[in-house]
Each structure stands twice: as C-alpha cells, then as structure tokens.
Amino acid sequence: MYVVSHQQEIQNFPLTQGENNANIPQIELEKLQSIITADGQIMIQEMSITIYKKADPTAVERYYIQHQEGDRQNLAINLDGLVRTYLQTKTKAYIESHQPQIGQEVRDYIKSFRAGGEPIMDNEGHIAGFKGGISLEEEWGVDIADVTPRRLTLPSTVAGAQVEAQQIIKAAQTQYDSAQNEADRRESKLRSMEKLSEAVGSNNDAANYLTSQILNDLLEQTPSKNIGRITVLNGLSGSDQAIISRQGVLLGK
C-alpha cells in the first residue's frame, strides 16, 4: 500500500509484490500471488484498490486511535483476503470475460461484507449480502473508492507446463496420424489384392504372378535376410513348399 495524499492510498492486489520481495524466488512469489478459481484453474489477477480515509471525527478516531500504527497493515491483509475470496468464487472464463466490470463487482463485495455478520444467500446459493456485523469500511473509517483490474496472467510455471503439454500432445497426434495412415494404406492394399484375386479366378499364369507379387510385398517388409519356410499356393518350385530367400526373390532368382 502506498500513500497518494494524506487522505488517499492505493493498495495492490495481490498484496505480495515482486518489487517488495526481491529475495523471494519467482516460483514462491507466484504461489503467494496466485488464486485458484471455482473451476480449479490457477491464475494471477492484478488489481489496484483505492482507499479514501474519511475526515469526519468518528472515522478519524477509528483509523488513528482504535487502530495503532502497528495494526494498520491488517487493513491491507483484510482487503487482500476479501478480493481473493471473491475471485475464487468465479471461473477462469468468467474472470477473463468480465474484466471491464470485475473491479466493480469486487468493490461491491468488499463494501457489503460484514465481519461477524450472517450471510444472506440468493436462490443460486451465492452470498447476496450480510445481516448484522460490521463492515470493513465502518471498522476502519475508510471508503473503498475504486477497484481497478490491471493485468491477468498465468504463473510462469503453469504457462511453461501448458507449452510442454501442447508439445507432448502434438507429438502424440503426429504418431497417431502416421500409424493411422499406415493402417489405411495396408487396408487399401489388402482390398486391392482381394479384388485382383477374384478377377484372376482359375487362370494359373495370373495366379502365379499374383502369388509372386504378394510374396515380394511380404519380403519387402521383413527385416531378416531369410524368412524361413513358406507354403506357396500353386507352387513356385516342384514341391508345395519352398525355402524363400529374401535376397533371391528381390533379385528375381
């Protein structure tokens, strides 16, 4: 919180700021600054809160007499807690899409909150106000003049994790697409072979040619030099089985 004039002060939200905590590691600073939204998202919403110290005798007594100088940091702590509480009742999408008016909503919530009061709930289960108790403004003799949203960001650790996750998803998608394309190619070739086999019928020369093409395709996909004993329909040699050498077949031997 910093003084604008003898009657006006500005408080930053989150209360913990980097310039005042230069020795805190970035990840620890972001833990203190982050909020968890109603839908479980992590984000940092920066705001400025303008506090006007009233000049009437009752307000002056409450601020300067009832609260000693060492206690005045509690006003900033209480404001930080109220802003955080309100924001955490909203989803990330709501906060992002309502930036122009979210400051006014937070201000209204702070002004309506009453410590020791009984919450008044609306039909949707949200807090609509408080009955009894004392407001923060009454307790401190101040007026919450304005709440202005400034910047909405993701913690750097979260942003980094999202980038890494997208890279993993992209790599997995590429592998899946490649496997799917290969499966489609094999299925298409099988269908072509089936149609060709139907067309060949009882023609022995055509059948022998088709058999050699199937074997050649099989051998092209076989990593070893010799694939062993294979039963060959219609026979490529005198017997119904032949030792097929990958190298020999590919060279036309």
Side-chain angles (χ1 to χ4, degrees), residues 212-227:
S212 67
Q213 292 302 305
I214 294 173
L215 284 171
N216 190 60
D217 182 62
L218 174 63
L219 293 169
E220 285 283 2
Q221 300 175 45
T222 304
S224 62
K225 182 178 179 180
N226 194 307
I227 63 173

Side-chain angles (χ1 to χ4, degrees), residues 153-240:
T153 60
L154 287 174
S156 60
T157 50
V158 174
Q162 287 191 342
V163 171
E164 183 178 1
Q166 288 300 319
Q167 291 173 342
I168 293 172
I169 291 171
K170 185 176 181 180
Q173 185 65 46
T174 300
Q175 292 177 0
Y176 172 81
D177 291 343
S178 177
Q180 186 65 48
N181 290 337
E182 178 63 15
D184 291 343
R185 185 191 70 80
R186 288 177 179 274
E187 183 179 9
S188 176
K189 194 159 190 175
L190 176 61
R191 297 289 177 264
S192 298
M193 288 294 185
E194 288 177 345
K195 291 181 180 179
L196 186 57
S197 180
E198 292 175 1
V200 166
S202 59
N203 187 314
N204 288 334
D205 291 337
N208 286 335
Y209 172 77
L210 176 60
T211 301
S212 67
Q213 292 302 305
I214 294 173
L215 284 171
N216 190 60
D217 182 62
L218 174 63
L219 293 169
E220 285 283 2
Q221 300 175 45
T222 304
S224 62
K225 182 178 179 180
N226 194 307
I227 63 173
R229 187 175 294 275
I230 297 179
T231 299
V232 182
L233 297 177
N234 297 319
L236 291 180
S237 64
S239 65
D240 62 350

Side-chain angles (χ1 to χ4, degrees), residues 20 25 29 36 46 114 123-124 135 139 142 166 202 208 237:
N20 299 325
L29 179 63
I36 300 177
E46 296 180 10
R114 302 185 72 82
N123 294 332
E124 297 179 353
S135 72
E139 179 188 355
V142 298
Q166 288 300 319
S202 59
N208 286 335
S237 64

